[in-house]
């Protein structure tokens, strides 16, 4: 089973700050089928259901603002919010889909000062 | 809009079976996608449990393989989770979610239903 580690459980930042959230895999997430990494970032806002934010490591889901940037390769992946807004308060978790069982990171809770 | 809604008992006794229903509206479960069950334990860890695809094929988390069954009723556009021989460690919030077999992400989730295993 692929294990995803999000080492920082929570972050508190001021609006406008840049935030990076890390997700590390214990296996290479490269899919040979398209040479892309099988890593998704989800955003889970309070009182809502999770929504996809970034797919295939770096593709923004439809409607996602460009302040959300996904990057990384092999086993190390990062979600960057270039300028945090109040509406970004949420839990951010990564998820891999290279191998069954799909697995999730433990999540990073983002709060605003 | 596609919507998923979980339903089922909120309390199950140890050693019994847990049975949940996910009712899908706005999209036919036989058209496309894989229809999943995911649970979140107290402490917030997420575990993918398994899915049934639009064609009826299933895939399960190996950690649950001996206890889990996912089935469907296409006439009602519902799919079901059965988890046998539950213990207190199966206490969780259970979500159903839609997975794109080509897009490869969960794009729609239900609101979740909390199940407590207790005598």
């Amino acid at each position: 089973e692929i294990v995803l580690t999000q080492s920082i459980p929570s972050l508190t930042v001021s609006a406008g700050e840049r935030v990076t959230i890390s997700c590390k895999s214990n296996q290479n997430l490269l899919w040979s089928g398209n040479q892309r990494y099988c890593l998704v970032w989800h955003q889970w806002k309070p009182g809502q259901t999770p929504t996809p934010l970034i797919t295939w490591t770096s593709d923004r889901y439809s409607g996602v603002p460009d302040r959300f940037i996904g990057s990384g390769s092999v086993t190390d992946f990062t979600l960057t919010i270039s300028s945090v807004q109040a509406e970004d308060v949420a839990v951010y978790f990564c998820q891999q889909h290279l191998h069954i069982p799909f697995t999730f990171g433990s999540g990073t809770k983002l709060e605003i000062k | 809009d596609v919507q998923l809604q979980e339903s089922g008992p909120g309390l199950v006794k140890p050693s019994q079976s847990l049975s949940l229903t996910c009712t899908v509206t706005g999209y036919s479960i036989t058209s496309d996608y894989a229809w999943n069950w995911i649970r979140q334990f107290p402490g917030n860890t997420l575990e993918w449990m398994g899915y049934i695809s639009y064609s009826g094929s299933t895939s399960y988390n190996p950690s649950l393989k001996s206890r889990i069954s996912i089935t469907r009723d296409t006439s009602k556009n519902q799919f079901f989770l059965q988890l046998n021989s539950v213990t207190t460690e199966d206490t969780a919030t259970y979500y159903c979610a839609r997975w794109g077999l080509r897009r490869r992400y969960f794009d729609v989730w239900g609101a979740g239903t909390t199940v407590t295993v207790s005598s």
Side-chain angles (χ1 to χ4, degrees), chain A residues 44 49-50 55-56 61 97 102, chain B residues 40 95 99 104-105 109-110:
Chain A
W44 198 342
T49 59
T55 65
W56 295 106
Y61 184 66
H97 56 87
F102 300 146
Chain B
Q40 184 177 41
Y95 296 90
W99 171 259
R104 302 191 68 77
Y105 49 81
W109 295 59

Side-chain angles (χ1 to χ4, degrees), chain B residues 15-19 66-69 82-87 90:
Chain B
S15 80
Q16 293 189 344
S17 292
L18 178 162
S19 296
S66 62
R67 298 198 293 136
I68 190 173
S69 177
Q82 182 170 318
L83 187 66
N84 299 322
S85 306
V86 298
T87 71
D90 295 308

